[in-house]
Amino acid sequence: MKIIVCVKQVPATNEVKMDPVTNTIIREGVESILNPFDTYAIEEAIRIKEKQGAQITALSMGIPSVVTLLQEAVSLGVDDAILLSDRAFAGADTMATAYTLQLGVESIGDYDLILCGKMATDGDTAQVGPMLAEVLGIPQITDVGEILEIGTDFILCRRMTDDGYETVKSKLPAVITVTKEINIPRLPSIAGMKRGKAAKVPVMTSKDFQLEAERIGLSGSPTQVVRTFIPSHDIASEVLTGSPTEQAEALIEKLREQKLLNW
Amino acid sequence: MSTEIQPYQVEFDEYLRDESRSVGHADSISFPKNEDELIEIVRKLSKTEIPVTVQGARTGLAAAAVPYGGHLINIGRMTRILGARYDEQDNRFFLTAEPGVLLSQLRKAVSSGEFEIAEPDDLTQAALCRYKAGEWFFSPDPTEASAALAGMVACNASGARSFCYGPVRPYVEALRLVLVDGRTLHIRRGEQKAKGRDFCLNLDDGSYIIGKLPDYAMPKVKNASGYYIEEDMDLIDLFIGGEGTLGIITQIELRLLPMPKAVWGITTFFPDEKSALRFVRGLRGEKEATGVEFSVKPAAIEFFNHKALDLLRIQKQKIAAFAHIQELKATYYNAVYTEFHADSEEKVWEMVEQMNQMLEALGVSPEDTWVANNPRDMEKLLVFRHAVPESVNMLIDQRRQKDPAITKLGTDMAVPDQYLDKIMDMYNGEIQTNGLDYVAFGHIGDNHLHVNILPRDMEDYRKGKALYLQWANAVSAMGGTVSAEHGVGKLKAPFLAVMMTDAGIEQMRALKAVFDPQGHLNPGNMFTMKKEGDA
Ligand SMILES: Cc1cc2nc3c(=O)[nH]c(=O)nc-3n(C[C@H](O)[C@H](O)[C@H](O)COP(=O)(O)OP(=O)(O)OC[C@H]3O[C@@H](n4cnc5c(N)ncnc54)[C@H](O)[C@@H]3O)c2cc1C
């Protein structure tokens, strides 16, 4: 079985700062990490490999330094990795990203399963996985919390929904996006880190593909970010002081004021 | 209001106990908000015959802060960081804090650089200008982050990283204290020393205390039992680890260390205990243990025995907070956690490779390791380490429901390096002979394990207690200590008596009498002032 895991580099903090002029994420001075959801996708791929054997390739589109993160993926148990990196890919929205990943996926070829994190923690769109399935013309199961069975040509998953879960069967190849319920990602071992450090990660640029130039990078991105903001959570709280009796009396008074108590 | 000596009422019940779960009693209580108030309370009491117990955050495990009558001073409202100082010449950073500042509060301030100092003096302002968040850390790391600084100083607390950095002691630069008679003293490291075993301690009002130090030799291991004594010693060290029996700490100046640039933690799983112990000795630089030269000193070497992993496997199924701990494979018998600090990632990697050679020499697979090289993954390893004592507490709470008289019996003993194998054989063998349930974990780098006997019933409890006393004897005979970090308090006083012998205890009494002739301050901690047989 051949598995491709799509991973992305994201800022380590979840308080992302935006450039007010360009409306893009300011990445300077912020440590970069593997998108947390993708670590679950990697772990799931490794578990499949341990259970029934698989060849796992990690695939990412990003800046050249993402090579280190891909080596990290290798240290966890991924067999090899490919980075898609080119100035021409920069500024891509979810559509352009899905198209670029499609190029990478097709260059690897002959795959049975593509695993993605449910979403990336910087953009929170949860669109790239589904769009990738769409451009590849293969089925997708999103928000997977458990893989129940994988056969030679099918996969049976439990996907999380707002009301519970659904059990979905799909033929392979397919794209699966995973949630944090699916497993507990492992830490690398010393042996794994040695493999990661030794791993050579090929970097592919736009020149390595026959591509439709109008579908990549900023110019290939139909999404227009008009404005971004961080929702504020300004819940005012008040601390009651005094002896327990005084605090209890003050609390009752407050509840009465708010008409939450009517005695 | 807060200099008020309030009569004891039921609403103060929580102040009668600490984490040892022993419960005492008190006649009155006070909550001073600053040094002046504390001094005023002590002066009022000094005119009476009322004994005084001082308490910090009551996380102690030896009932040192549990009162047995008299007045209780709780310093929990003295929680300000007061000032900072930067020593440019030696690149050293100091913070002055009130005794009730919690370790968690200090850590937060140190890592964020937000000290919230109300009235910074010139030195403080100058120091804060030089301060960069993330560049400094406070190395003592006892597991319980809600301990108060004074409690940590009074017990000379330690943590995992004490293997490399030592306990709290060397990081205490200056103390302000109030003695039981109300006199005060400000003592700075290096300024007041004993001459041989004689000392003269200058107090703030120009008076002084003259005395003689005990002549016992301290065990040459990590230690928190009995007064710290050495010829020509710095007199500040009398108060550190003194369990509040000589004076009440009202201010502490602490030294921070430059933060290492690279911090890695590695948990290694072993298939048996012998290979784990050889690994530990190898990490300490004992080449004969593995045949591999290991030249660096790890920041921490911690151990979790097979029973600890078994318990964790069970609790992981039940407790949501532990569910996120990575899978513990069935082949993992026990674990050793090692932490490396260096000024670059490359240097740490060199250490890891050396460590790996040792594992290979021992036939342990480098696949059976969990490596954390960033704060997020370090946190995961911390959760794993803390889950062990937490699981123990949960299990004991469960058993107490059946029999409330049962408590955990946790040891805190350390022995010199050459006895590591012997002490492990002793613990394992005697537990087995007695048919007891237990887990063992802790600071194996210092041959300092917490063996937690987990009694299933009162019969087990009695057997465990007897074993504990037996071990105190054995450990003392090896030149070890009965308490390496938690302190003696009231619960371990019988073990201290074994370790120090009557002569040692008598000398400690004499030293205390110089500061506190009536024995009014923290009575019962380490020893009682009255000799046995006295009325
Ligand atoms: C889950 C858990 C884990 C722990 N892990 C560790 C560990 O890893 N390492 C370790 O060393 N300890 C550990 N401890 C024990 C405990 O946290 C330490 O002993 C700590 O130093 C006690 O601090 P405290 O503020 O709670 O002191 P308290 O328990 O309140 O008091 C301890 C002693 O300090 C004295 N004292 C308090 N304030 C003053 C003062 N102002 N002047 C003079 N004396 C004073 C008291 O009189 C008493 O003798 C642990 C405890 C728990 C519950």
Side-chain angles (χ1 to χ4, degrees):
Chain A
M1 158 156 249
K2 199 159 165 184
I3 304 175
I4 298 172
V5 188
C6 297
V7 300
K8 183 188 184 186
Q9 168 176 286
V10 296
T13 160
N14 49 15
E15 269 176 48
V16 175
K17 293 200 177 60
M18 302 295 288
D19 185 322
V21 182
T22 61
N23 269 328
T24 51
I25 295 166
I26 301 175
R27 296 185 191 272
E28 283 78 51
V30 183
E31 193 202 349
S32 297
I33 56 168
L34 262 173
N35 171 36
F37 285 101
D38 299 346
T39 61
Y40 294 82
I42 292 174
E43 176 68 29
E44 199 56 26
I46 300 166
R47 288 184 184 202
I48 296 170
K49 173 173 151 181
E50 284 172 348
K51 211 163 132 199
Q52 57 195 75
Q55 166 77 22
I56 311 169
T57 304
L59 175 67
S60 185
M61 179 184 85
I63 56 176
S65 63
V66 174
V67 164
T68 328
L69 288 190
L70 288 169
Q71 286 175 322
E72 230 176 79
V74 173
S75 75
L76 293 168
V78 160
D79 297 294
D80 50 37
I82 295 172
L83 176 65
L84 310 171
S85 188
D86 194 318
R87 276 178 190 280
F89 296 149
D93 69 356
T94 52
M95 278 266 276
T97 303
Y99 173 62
T100 312
L101 289 176
Q102 177 197 354
L103 300 172
V105 167
E106 282 171 348
S107 78
I108 298 166
D110 203 18
Y111 54 89
D112 301 288
L113 181 63
I114 299 176
L115 284 164
C116 300
K118 168 190 163 157
M119 62 187 188
T121 53
D122 52 358
D124 275 4
T125 68
Q127 288 172 0
V128 171
M131 281 180 174
L132 177 61
E134 202 55 37
V135 291
L136 288 168
I138 59 173
Q140 55 175 292
I141 309 175
T142 55
D143 297 342
V144 170
E146 190 180 354
I147 295 178
L148 300 167
E149 197 186 343
I150 301 179
T152 42
D153 58 352
F154 74 93
I155 184 163
L156 184 67
C157 298
R158 181 169 283 180
R159 68 182 294 269
M160 318 305 284
T161 70
D162 288 345
D163 319 309
Y165 60 82
E166 288 169 2
T167 306
V168 183
K169 190 173 179 179
S170 159
K171 67 177 177 19
L172 291 176
V175 172
I176 304 293
T177 77
V178 304
T179 66
K180 290 187 177 180
E181 284 76 24
I182 196 162
N183 56 44
I184 300 157
R186 71 193 66 193
L187 291 171
S189 65
I190 296 177
M193 290 198 72
K194 285 188 137 185
R195 287 191 289 271
K197 279 178 184 287
K200 299 262 177 297
V201 176
V203 180
M204 299 180 80
T205 69
S206 60
K207 295 196 186 61
D208 294 313
F209 303 103
Q210 277 191 321
L211 51 74
E212 299 166 44
E214 67 284 2
R215 292 179 65 191
I216 60 166
L218 187 62
S219 58
S221 298
T223 312
Q224 294 279 315
V225 178
V226 181
R227 188 172 78 92
T228 58
F229 61 95
I230 299 169
S232 59
H233 304 279
D234 43 3
I235 302 165
S237 48
E238 191 179 340
V239 178
L240 304 175
T241 54
S243 70
T245 320
E246 285 162 3
Q247 290 181 38
E249 277 167 3
L251 178 62
I252 290 171
E253 198 44 47
K254 294 268 166 212
L255 294 175
R256 279 204 185 117
E257 272 171 29
Q258 307 273 328
K259 305 232 183 311
L260 292 167
L261 264 189
N262 49 9
W263 45 270
Chain B
M1 182 71 184
S2 41
T3 56
E4 195 187 12
I5 294 178
Q6 307 180 57
Y8 179 78
Q9 294 166 32
V10 262
E11 67 182 74
F12 299 128
D13 269 3
E14 62 177 293
Y15 300 106
L16 299 181
R17 54 177 154 255
D18 70 358
E19 285 293 328
S20 71
R21 305 231 160 72
S22 357
V23 184
H25 57 97
D27 305 310
S28 59
I29 189 166
S30 61
F31 299 93
K33 286 202 303 297
N34 54 47
E35 184 178 48
D36 288 345
E37 291 185 359
L38 197 152
I39 292 170
E40 198 182 319
I41 292 164
V42 175
R43 289 196 174 147
K44 270 191 217 164
L45 291 164
S46 69
K47 299 188 184 80
T48 71
E49 289 295 307
I50 301 171
V52 181
T53 301
V54 189
Q55 58 180 209
R58 293 178 294 107
T59 71
L61 296 170
V66 174
Y68 286 99
H71 182 74
L72 187 52
I73 298 181
N74 182 292
I75 53 144
R77 299 195 184 162
M78 298 175 69
T79 56
R80 291 173 304 163
I81 297 178
L82 299 169
R85 190 163 68 82
Y86 178 66
D87 167 7
E88 189 152 3
Q89 206 172 355
D90 297 325
N91 187 32
R92 301 191 308 168
F93 202 91
F94 301 94
L95 283 177
T96 303
E98 288 187 327
V101 168
L102 301 185
L103 176 62
S104 53
Q105 181 191 347
L106 179 82
R107 280 191 184 149
K108 201 165 156 211
V110 167
S111 67
S112 67
E114 288 162 20
F115 297 104
E116 293 172 16
I117 299 170
E119 291 158 15
D121 58 14
D122 291 349
L123 272 182
T124 298
Q125 280 178 2
L128 292 185
C129 286
R130 302 291 299 266
Y131 193 88
K132 278 212 193 96
E135 288 191 353
W136 298 92
F137 81 122
F138 182 59
S139 68
D141 60 338
T143 312
E144 180 55 70
S146 60
L149 294 181
M152 290 170 57
V153 173
C155 295
N156 189 30
S158 290
R161 291 171 172 175
S162 298
F163 178 70
C164 173
Y165 298 102
V168 164
R169 183 178 304 284
Y171 303 97
V172 179
E173 190 65 14
L175 289 176
R176 283 170 72 94
L177 296 128
V178 48
L179 303 185
V180 72
D181 58 13
R183 285 183 294 171
T184 60
L185 109 110
H186 189 185
I187 182 162
R188 174 164 292 285
R189 193 167 282 288
E191 284 181 357
Q192 297 207 54
K193 293 196 169 172
K195 288 206 172 62
R197 301 256 171 198
D198 295 306
F199 72 90
C200 172
L201 186 66
N202 295 306
L203 306 185
D204 291 344
D205 64 359
S207 64
Y208 45 83
I209 290 181
I210 293 178
K212 213 169 178 49
L213 297 172
D215 60 13
Y216 56 73
M218 298 208 305
K220 293 193 172 32
V221 295
K222 177 180 181 185
N223 186 23
S225 328
Y227 296 123
Y228 179 96
I229 301 293
E230 253 182 321
E231 267 184 29
D232 302 323
M233 68 182 280
D234 197 313
L235 295 175
I236 196 172
D237 285 324
L238 278 180
F239 301 98
I240 304 166
E243 302 198 10
T245 57
L246 302 180
I248 303 173
I249 300 163
T250 59
Q251 239 180 58
I252 304 164
E253 188 177 67
L254 295 169
R255 176 163 60 93
L256 304 182
L257 286 181
M259 182 79 159
K261 295 220 165 44
V263 174
W264 286 37
I266 302 176
T267 303
T268 308
F269 296 92
F270 291 83
D272 57 70
E273 193 160 289
K274 283 278 168 279
S275 56
L277 295 184
R278 281 172 66 196
F279 177 65
V280 168
R281 291 173 48 214
L283 286 169
R284 291 200 298 224
E286 296 169 32
K287 191 179 166 191
E288 66 282 8
T290 63
V292 177
E293 193 94 47
F294 193 74
S295 50
V296 287
K297 183 153 191 168
I301 311 176
E302 304 272 302
F303 179 64
F304 304 89
N305 85 335
H306 58 293
K307 299 295 283 182
L309 294 200
D310 284 348
L311 178 62
L312 202 53
R313 284 187 179 102
I314 296 169
Q315 297 297 67
K316 216 167 111 51
Q317 305 296 324
K318 297 189 197 158
I319 314 290
F322 302 158
H324 294 286
I325 295 171
Q326 196 174 322
E327 184 204 341
L328 290 160
K329 288 194 190 147
T331 51
Y332 294 172
Y333 185 70
N334 57 28
V336 175
Y337 171 80
T338 322
E339 196 170 297
F340 295 113
H341 294 184
D343 50 22
S344 72
E345 302 286 335
E346 291 71 27
K347 285 219 176 102
V348 178
W349 182 247
E350 282 170 24
M351 299 174 188
V352 175
E353 291 207 304
Q354 268 188 50
M355 176 183 138
N356 196 27
Q357 282 176 20
M358 276 199 280
L359 293 180
E360 276 168 13
L362 293 167
V364 174
S365 167
E367 304 281 352
D368 294 340
T369 50
W370 295 351
V371 184
N373 58 1
N374 60 59
R376 292 167 302 284
D377 290 347
M378 287 295 285
E379 182 63 31
K380 290 185 189 167
L381 293 188
L382 193 74
V383 170
F384 166 76
R385 290 193 285 139
H386 287 189
V388 174
E390 284 170 29
S391 298
V392 168
N393 291 343
M394 288 173 190
L395 185 76
I396 288 291
D397 284 342
Q398 224 174 318
R399 292 192 179 165
R400 276 166 68 95
Q401 285 176 356
K402 266 199 265 159
D403 193 340
I406 288 177
T407 61
K408 159 180 93 181
L409 294 165
T411 74
D412 182 33
M413 305 179 184
V415 292
D417 281 355
Q418 70 267 31
Y419 295 114
L420 176 60
D421 290 289
K422 191 170 168 189
I423 194 95
M424 295 299 286
D425 285 346
M426 180 184 90
Y427 291 144
N428 291 325
E430 290 176 5
I431 289 270
Q432 206 176 9
T433 315
N434 282 279
L436 293 168
D437 188 14
Y438 80 124
V439 305
F441 59 90
H443 320 298
I444 200 159
D446 286 315
N447 318 297
H448 170 205
L449 279 200
H450 300 302
V451 180
N452 284 202
I453 300 174
L454 311 170
R456 287 157 294 211
D457 50 34
M458 278 318 278
E459 172 65 14
D460 274 4
Y461 186 72
R462 271 187 292 275
K463 277 192 201 163
K465 273 198 111 158
L467 205 50
Y468 206 148
L469 190 62
Q470 194 180 316
W471 288 346
N473 274 291
V475 162
S476 302
M478 293 177 203
T481 180
V482 293
S483 173
E485 67 177 7
H486 296 157
V488 173
K490 297 173 184 86
L491 297 184
K492 293 179 186 167
F495 309 138
L496 186 69
V498 168
M499 171 181 155
M500 295 300 237
T501 70
D502 288 350
I505 298 283
E506 196 45 53
Q507 291 186 346
M508 289 204 286
R509 277 195 192 109
L511 176 64
K512 176 166 166 71
V514 175
F515 289 84
D516 175 16
Q518 312 293 326
H520 278 175
L521 187 56
N522 274 329
N525 277 359
M526 301 202 274
F527 49 83
T528 46
M529 279 306 265
K530 288 198 190 102
K531 283 179 238 164
E532 244 169 82
D534 283 2

